Amino acid sequence: AYHGLPWHGQWRFTDTLYTDISIALESCSNLSSQPLMMAMQRVTNIASHLVAVKTATQTERRVTKSKILVANRGEIAVRICRAARELNYSTVAVFASDDTTSLHTAAADEARQLPGPPGPAAYLDIPAILQIARETAATAIHPGYGFLSENAEFAAACEAQGIIFIGPRADAIKLFGDKTEARLLAIAQGVPVTPGTDASVETVDELLHAIRSAGLSYPIMLKAANGGGGRGIRVVESEADLAPTFERCMSEAQGAFGRAAVFAEKYVPWAKHVEVQVLADSQGGAVHLFERDCSVQVRKQKVIELAPAYGISHSLRDRITSAALKLVRAVDYRNAGTVEFLVEGSKDRATNILSDEAASFYFLEVNPRIQVEHTVTEQVTGVDLVAAQLQIAVEGRSLQDLALSQQSICARGYALQARVTLAAPMSTSVVEYAAPAGVGVRVDAACYAGYQPSASYDPLIAKVICSGGRNITGGAGSEIDTIADREAYEATIQRMRCALSEFRIGGTQTNIPLLSRVLSSSEFLAGASTTAWLEEWLNNEPSFAEITPSSSSVALLRQGITKAAAVTGAIGQTSGDAMNLEEYFSIPKGGVVAQMAGTVVEVNVTAGQIVSQGQQLLVLSAMKMESAVNASTSGKVIFVAVTLSTSVQLGQLLLVLDRTHMDEAKEGDDNKATDAVWAPEVAELEARRRLVGELGGSERVAKHKSDGKMTCRERVAALADSASWREIGSLTGHYTYDAKTGKMMGLSSPSNVIIGLAEIDGRPCALSADDFTIRGGSAEGSIGDKRGHIERVARDMRVPIIRMLDGNSGGGSVGLYSAGKGVKSGTGEAPKPSFDASRGGTYAPIAPGFHHQIRMLNEVPVVSLLLGTVVGIGAARATGSHFSVIVQGAGQLMVAGPPVVKYATREDLTKEQLGGASIVTASGSVDNLAQSEDDAFVQARSFLSYLPSSAWTLSPRGPTDDPPNRAEEELLSVVPRDRKRFMDSRRSIELIVDKASFFEIGRNWAQ
């Protein structure tokens, strides 16, 4: 009765409602169940409260402790108002100009309209919401979920104005609001994460660079750096799809969260989505309330949620909940939050991934707010999470005050939540609404008969929550009875099926048929559903098309007319397929109609324009998601029937294409592809290829070779097996920019380092080779990123990396600084260096201290070949190797060259004196000495030959001419009896090991 209350205005019916509840309570008075008695008392309090507050008699209004402004709408706003009333708080609702009939406006004690345009933007207006809070004397603001719930600026603004923000602190929201920063925190805390880009980006070029730097392979996942709820998340199957998918993600992120920034990570399709509900107070206490399985999703939008996760192993539950608490405790988190994980498994529908004790899990994100699916956790634990939020934030209560310790929290049975959403075609109003009821059935809703839904908002209108079973998870005696557990799970599913069958929503289509089918599927019953399962299941279920709208509006109309004709004969003997439905419904030939209701946010064509098949015509936005409308065929645009911001319904005409111009369109498309679209890129690729082939130019190459040195590409050819070299990033290079406008002017030179993969004696390896002919090997940030990329690739593939060093090899150019003209006469003071900004930029690398450099030494063999003068960061890289070789005469190793040393110490030293081959091999800075570059390559191959061919194989073993029973008489005398005589250790080793197998490292050390 309480849930069925006609909130939208007829408040005097509460007298009748109170009478009905009283009669119901009287008939139950002989029952003594403690939970039932508590529920009866709660309903009695609610009914009394409704009568006292909502009748016309204002003198009976209660005295409240505080006033809460609810900065949200829909069912979550109603839910917050209900919890606030039960704690004796008064409430203030806010609403947009197009949301006046929303249920939350009547659920609160007072409601204020937000200024500005209609739609979601109104609920993102921070100044307006704070102004209403001041005007209504609200002491606290609850943001709900979505909108401003994860906006750190909003939380900080509340705090600045002395208003309590019911949620975490602003710094925690900012941290977890940026998913890339949250990933870094997880890494620091030892919580596993999926491979991805290190930071969020705002342009497709930045994204492409980040993806390549991270070594990600397609398909990948693009995610909005801020927000959640499945918005701004899309899968990219190939690099060709990156740009359009990026634009859609950026637009959705801007519209939903107010910030257009995304990042990329590895796509893990066959996985479970498991999240942990946490609750923390301001005294340092934190608990988890078990996990939820949210794997049933469509387009990253959750459809059905379960608490706790069915079939999860004790080990996996302990590891995931421990990781969740570790993350929130690391930042002194406060209030409610959810830590989300992916649990990876195989594409086996018959297997529940969660039952695997050794299953791998990855951190996804922390949602620093209440979740849509918090309800299932409430049902199994008995903890009112929204009330706890209010008590922790507003009253300063601790978890101990609320009697919430980890030992006392347990989950009883299972709870399922099914999200009931509106589906296209969306009606202008709901003509019938009757929610299910009964034991173990709860409905959190924002719908009623007469409600007029808007395509501008989330389509969620109700959440059906069903609970069942008495099996206990956690707390004292947490051993699970497998049979009882299975029975409880199945009973909860059956209860949900019954509840959905009772739900009556008339006048519009919903997803209830889909929900019912999912609940009956064998995969869901087995607990084997994954994040990718539902979409594939829908595609493979032929009978599902019978209960869902067709993808074509005309086809949908055809279905309806055909069925009507079969029953009434209203259209004579003509079958639906034979009818000209476009003409029947006044849709022009060539008409492009809307496949869903929504708002036009982009118009990409104009009348008279020739378009090709697949070309984007316009973009529709509905329910905060955007969909491109592409041409199904080539043709000429006759006219466009919509403009920006036009609201359209399913089947509404958008534009008309004249298909008689298909040949013209094809010809125009060919011209467009070469002349208008791809010509600049083709020219740029050709220019880059020419520059790459020229290296530093003919003069510099000639000078380089006159010094007896190979070019970088000749070195790769000499070291790698024939035809095995696969270069990475061959067309990257240095650009010049206009100093005033920052506009890119053109490519000035190719990158002075080449990287790639090759085989050396059949062994997979990663290679990098410096090109001294370009800027003497000095590097900027992008070159550092390129070197870092191949090092990460080597780590990921577990293959050796060979660095061919020649020049600065990673540092900035010291030539940017002028040391002056010499020592000032008679003063003993050196002149101050000056910086010439016009001569380039500086690069302050963090190598070799960055983490992947250190981790690489623990994971893969690192070989450095010093083939020229190696200074600065290159020197650090050389010494940070397992094996290094320097070429006599050509190679030197030093932190700084002679000019810098002279300026600093006034000593005039040559490169050989500073770091010649004899010096650095004797000091142990470099292992071995080579007489030529070819000799250095031979030594590198020899070193690698002693290692396994990969990280997953044993060390090599091969035939030898040395007989196993060889007896060396010389061994009898190799150890001198006279202690004053030296033993020839090198000769001893040669006698003991297989003949010709001893490869010495560091022969010149200490000489």
Side-chain angles (χ1 to χ4, degrees):
Y2 174 55
H3 287 297
L5 179 69
W7 289 99
H8 51 285
Q10 303 177 27
W11 295 110
R12 293 186 182 277
F13 284 172
T14 53
D15 292 315
T16 305
L17 174 67
Y18 179 72
T19 302
D20 291 342
I21 292 177
S22 299
I23 294 173
L25 293 175
E26 203 171 312
S27 66
C28 297
S29 59
N30 62 327
L31 300 177
S32 59
S33 168
Q34 184 65 24
L36 177 61
M37 295 302 294
M38 292 173 63
M40 290 165 55
Q41 183 60 48
R42 179 176 175 183
V43 173
T44 303
N45 293 343
I46 292 171
S48 303
H49 160 70
L50 291 173
V51 173
V53 175
K54 294 300 184 181
T55 57
T57 308
Q58 298 298 316
T59 57
E60 294 181 303
R61 293 189 66 86
R62 70 197 185 286
V63 177
T64 59
K65 295 185 291 186
S66 190
K67 182 178 287 188
I68 311 295
L69 185 146
V70 183
N72 215 298
R73 64 177 302 279
E75 65 84 19
I76 187 60
V78 174
R79 169 75 180 89
I80 295 167
C81 288
R82 182 177 300 137
R85 281 197 308 273
E86 293 180 16
L87 292 173
N88 211 25
Y89 296 126
S90 61
T91 52
V92 180
V94 293
F95 59 93
S97 59
D98 62 343
D99 213 12
T100 57
T101 62
S102 184
L103 189 60
H104 75 284
T105 61
D109 294 289
E110 54 183 305
R112 295 291 187 92
Q113 181 171 329
L114 292 162
Y123 292 94
L124 297 172
D125 190 339
I126 295 176
I129 292 174
L130 292 176
Q131 179 62 31
I132 293 174
R134 290 192 296 269
E135 292 174 354
T136 58
T139 55
I141 294 179
H142 197 306
Y145 56 73
F147 294 128
L148 294 172
S149 63
E150 298 182 59
N151 190 306
E153 179 185 346
F154 180 50
C158 291
E159 182 179 356
Q161 298 197 20
I163 299 172
I164 298 171
F165 179 83
I166 302 174
R169 299 189 317 274
D171 58 344
I173 296 176
K174 183 178 181 180
L175 171 63
F176 291 128
D178 188 331
K179 294 183 177 63
T180 55
E181 291 296 320
R183 282 170 55 88
L184 295 177
L185 172 66
I187 293 171
Q189 294 299 314
V191 177
V193 300
T194 51
T197 55
D198 295 333
S200 59
V201 299
E202 298 182 0
T203 69
V204 71
D205 290 337
E206 292 175 334
L207 177 61
L208 186 59
H209 175 72
I211 290 171
R212 292 173 177 174
S213 297
L216 296 180
S217 57
Y218 294 90
I220 61 172
M221 181 80 76
L222 290 192
K223 291 185 175 183
N226 298 79
R231 295 182 177 84
I233 299 179
R234 293 187 180 234
V235 177
V236 183
E237 296 291 345
S238 66
E239 190 170 299
D241 302 326
L242 184 63
T245 307
F246 172 79
E247 294 300 329
R248 296 279 68 78
C249 280
M250 292 287 283
S251 181
E252 289 174 7
Q254 181 65 47
F257 315 120
R259 183 193 173 202
V262 302
F263 69 102
E265 65 182 19
K266 171 187 173 183
Y267 177 47
V268 185
W270 293 98
K272 281 280 194 180
H273 181 127
V274 177
E275 60 188 32
V276 178
Q277 177 69 59
V278 296
L279 196 62
D281 58 29
S282 59
Q283 287 80 42
V287 295
H288 73 78
L289 292 90
F290 297 95
E291 74 288 336
R292 299 186 285 257
D293 183 351
C294 307
S295 303
V296 182
Q297 304 176 4
V298 173
R299 295 180 66 188
K300 308 307 168 186
Q301 295 286 315
K302 298 169 186 173
V303 177
I304 295 176
E305 297 97 348
L306 171 69
Y310 173 65
I312 188 170
S313 68
H314 287 290
S315 171
L316 183 58
R317 170 175 284 141
D318 290 344
R319 286 187 288 140
I320 288 181
T321 54
S322 296
L325 289 176
K326 183 184 292 185
L327 285 172
V328 297
R329 285 169 176 158
V331 296
D332 190 23
Y333 189 88
R334 299 176 186 179
N335 219 271
T338 303
V339 187
E340 299 190 352
F341 300 92
L342 275 183
V343 182
E344 188 172 14
S346 64
K347 194 179 176 182
D348 183 0
R349 289 190 175 187
T351 303
N352 184 350
I353 296 169
L354 302 181
S355 62
D356 183 0
E357 294 277 352
S360 299
F361 69 92
Y362 305 106
F363 167 73
L364 277 181
E365 61 182 348
V366 174
N367 288 308
R369 54 173 170 84
I370 197 72
Q371 290 273 86
V372 179
E373 59 273 18
H374 73 277
T375 54
V376 289
T377 298
E378 290 182 328
Q379 293 304 109
V380 295
T381 63
V383 177
D384 187 329
L385 290 172
V386 178
Q389 280 191 292
L390 298 174
Q391 291 171 308
I392 291 172
V394 181
E395 301 176 19
R397 305 279 292 277
S398 68
L399 295 176
Q400 184 177 359
D401 295 335
L402 301 177
L404 291 175
S405 66
Q406 194 64 70
Q407 293 73 22
S408 67
I409 299 171
C410 64
R412 183 179 294 276
Y414 286 98
L416 274 172
Q417 174 176 278
R419 302 190 187 195
V420 179
T421 60
L422 298 174
M426 188 179 292
S427 173
T428 56
S429 64
V430 176
V431 297
E432 177 190 9
Y433 181 83
V439 175
V441 179
R442 165 182 170 182
V443 179
D444 284 15
C447 189
Y448 56 86
Y451 176 59
Q452 298 177 342
S454 169
S456 299
Y457 299 104
D458 193 299
L460 180 68
I461 57 170
K463 301 184 304 190
V464 181
I465 306 99
C466 293
S467 54
R470 298 179 58 81
N471 56 304
I472 297 177
T473 301
S478 60
E479 287 297 322
I480 295 177
D481 183 330
T482 305
I483 296 177
D485 187 67
R486 177 68 186 179
E487 290 176 348
Y489 177 61
E490 293 178 347
T492 306
I493 294 174
Q494 180 59 24
R495 179 165 287 167
M496 178 64 78
R497 290 195 198 112
C498 294
L500 291 175
S501 69
E502 297 170 6
F503 214 145
R504 296 291 178 265
I505 303 177
T508 188
Q509 293 191 37
T510 70
N511 68 332
I512 288 179
L514 165 64
L515 297 172
S516 300
R517 292 291 297 275
V518 170
L519 292 167
S520 300
S521 70
S522 59
E523 290 85 358
F524 185 81
L525 290 171
S529 55
T530 65
T531 53
W533 166 75
L534 181 53
E535 291 186 33
E536 182 176 282
W537 181 74
L538 294 178
N539 293 333
N540 295 334
E541 286 283 304
S543 59
F544 187 75
E546 300 173 5
I547 60 171
T548 56
S550 168
S551 60
S552 165
S553 59
V554 173
L556 182 66
L557 296 171
R558 178 181 283 114
Q559 290 175 10
I561 291 177
T562 303
K563 292 178 181 178
V567 176
T568 65
I571 316 179
Q573 302 301 314
T574 305
S575 69
D577 288 335
M579 292 180 60
N580 187 340
L581 290 178
E582 286 85 353
E583 181 178 342
Y584 186 87
F585 288 100
S586 301
I587 299 173
K589 285 185 178 296
V592 178
V593 298
Q595 303 300 312
M596 63 181 184
T599 303
V600 178
V601 295
E602 283 185 30
V603 178
N604 308 107
V605 295
T606 57
Q609 182 175 338
I610 302 297
V611 298
S612 58
Q613 183 177 4
Q615 184 174 337
Q616 182 172 301
L617 305 174
L618 49 84
V619 177
L620 293 178
S621 174
M623 304 170 186
K624 299 184 182 178
M625 304 290 282
E626 296 183 356
S627 297
V629 178
N630 299 325
S632 60
T633 183
S634 300
K636 182 178 182 179
V637 180
I638 303 303
F639 72 92
V640 181
V642 295
T643 59
L644 280 178
S645 303
T646 300
S647 294
V648 298
Q649 297 299 317
L650 176 69
Q652 182 173 330
L653 183 68
L654 302 175
L655 53 84
V656 176
L657 284 177
D658 184 354
R659 300 174 186 175
T660 61
H661 292 262
M662 289 180 65
D663 294 338
E664 182 181 349
K666 186 176 295 184
E667 180 182 352
D669 184 41
D670 292 339
N671 294 334
K672 178 179 180 181
T674 56
D675 297 337
V677 179
W678 299 113
E681 284 78 7
V682 171
E684 175 64 23
L685 287 174
E686 291 174 351
R688 291 191 186 192
R689 287 195 181 98
R690 285 195 301 270
L691 279 171
V692 167
E694 294 170 359
L695 301 178
S698 57
E699 293 183 6
R700 292 180 181 177
V701 171
K703 172 65 170 62
H704 184 76
K705 294 178 75 67
S706 70
D707 293 334
K709 298 198 292 185
M710 301 181 188
T711 66
C712 59
R713 297 189 178 279
E714 289 173 341
R715 288 166 174 166
V716 168
L719 178 61
D721 294 350
S722 177
S724 70
W725 170 245
R726 296 293 182 268
E727 190 168 352
I728 299 173
S730 62
L731 301 183
T732 56
H734 300 278
Y735 277 84
T736 55
Y737 293 82
D738 185 282
K740 294 182 179 179
T741 65
K743 183 179 179 181
M744 183 184 295
M745 303 298 292
L747 180 64
S748 60
S749 68
S751 163
N752 53 10
V753 62
I754 61 174
I755 62 173
L757 299 171
E759 291 184 359
I760 299 177
D761 295 334
R763 180 191 312 274
C765 294
L767 303 181
S768 68
D770 297 335
D771 187 353
F772 190 78
T773 67
I774 300 174
R775 305 172 66 185
S778 63
E780 308 302 340
S782 59
I783 304 303
D785 290 342
K786 190 172 182 180
R787 286 195 176 90
H789 174 68
I790 194 61
E791 290 167 353
R792 284 189 291 269
V793 170
R795 279 181 47 216
D796 291 342
M797 295 181 65
R798 295 295 193 273
V799 297
I801 181 168
I802 294 87
R803 303 163 170 156
M804 289 177 271
L805 305 175
D806 187 1
N808 210 5
S809 304
S813 172
V814 295
L816 296 174
Y817 293 88
S818 173
K821 296 183 178 180
V823 178
K824 292 183 180 179
S825 176
T827 65
E829 297 179 2
K832 293 182 179 180
S834 61
F835 175 66
D836 184 357
S838 66
R839 298 171 63 189
T842 60
Y843 170 44
I846 52 177
F850 48 83
H851 67 280
H852 73 81
Q853 183 86 355
I854 304 304
R855 290 180 61 185
M856 185 170 60
L857 289 171
N858 292 324
E859 296 175 8
V860 299
V862 181
V863 176
S864 291
L865 307 180
L866 288 74
L867 308 176
T869 301
V870 180
V871 299
I873 297 302
R877 287 178 180 273
T879 56
S881 307
H882 295 111
F883 177 62
S884 56
V885 180
I886 188 168
V887 176
Q888 179 74 53
Q892 297 90 33
L893 176 70
M894 61 196 78
V895 175
V900 177
V901 173
K902 183 177 181 180
Y903 175 74
T905 68
R906 304 178 190 174
E907 293 181 89
D908 196 355
L909 302 174
T910 66
K911 291 191 295 183
E912 284 296 320
Q913 290 174 316
L914 279 174
S918 60
I919 293 176
V920 295
T921 53
S923 68
S925 299
V926 179
D927 295 317
N928 281 16
L929 180 66
Q931 298 305 315
S932 66
E933 293 191 16
D934 286 330
D935 184 22
F937 300 151
V938 169
Q939 293 194 43
R941 291 193 194 95
S942 297
F943 175 78
L944 293 174
S945 70
Y946 289 84
L947 305 180
S949 59
S950 74
W952 295 273
T953 61
L954 298 176
S955 297
R957 292 171 180 263
T960 176
D961 295 332
D962 193 1
N965 60 348
R966 171 172 59 90
E968 290 287 353
E969 295 295 332
E970 189 179 346
L971 281 173
L972 298 176
S973 59
V974 74
V975 179
R977 183 174 294 277
D978 187 352
R979 296 184 180 182
K980 297 178 182 179
R981 295 180 59 188
F982 289 103
M983 183 181 75
D984 189 343
S985 301
R986 184 174 293 109
R987 182 57 179 163
S988 301
I989 294 173
E990 291 173 348
L991 291 172
I992 293 172
V993 301
D994 290 349
K995 286 185 175 181
S997 70
F998 179 44
F999 177 72
E1000 187 172 358
I1001 298 176
R1003 185 184 184 96
N1004 294 342
W1005 285 16
Q1007 289 189 2

